[in-house]
Amino acid sequence: MSAPHSPVDHIAYGSLDAYREFIAETLAGAEIHARIGQSYVEAGNDAGLEYSVRCMIANVRAAASILAELKKSKAEQVGRRTPAPDRHPATDNLEVRA
């Protein structure tokens, strides 16, 4: 018998890949609700259609929210990698006289 898999075995928590995986999952959920909504349209079920549209919107909003976090995290990582200019604060304001 193989060892049970934990959900944390494949997700890089706190990383950009974790954000991307969550976005992929929520977009897949939105796609499913869109297809179900199409079925409700064909069946003439307005209550089901409304529910599936609301679920689809919730999935898209979640994806958009995490996308904003992904962009913010990427910008922070770039900022940490960018070397600071070669500055010496204690001597930056000194005048040099000849």
Side-chain angles (χ1 to χ4, degrees), residues 41-56:
V41 167
E42 292 169 5
N45 183 338
D46 293 336
L49 173 61
E50 181 180 355
Y51 179 74
S52 64
V53 168
R54 286 177 180 227
C55 291
M56 183 182 65

Side-chain angles (χ1 to χ4, degrees), residues 9-25:
D9 289 341
H10 69 285
I11 299 174
Y13 285 97
S15 71
L16 299 180
D17 288 337
Y19 289 131
R20 290 183 187 108
E21 185 169 340
F22 180 80
I23 291 168
E25 289 173 6

Side-chain angles (χ1 to χ4, degrees), residues 52-68:
S52 64
V53 168
R54 286 177 180 227
C55 291
M56 183 182 65
I57 290 170
N59 277 281
V60 171
R61 284 183 177 160
S65 173
I66 297 303
L67 177 60

Side-chain angles (χ1 to χ4, degrees), residues 79-96:
R80 280 185 250 150
R81 284 189 217 139
T82 305
D86 194 17
R87 303 192 80 198
H88 303 284
T91 58
D92 282 349
N93 295 327
L94 296 179
E95 286 185 32
V96 177

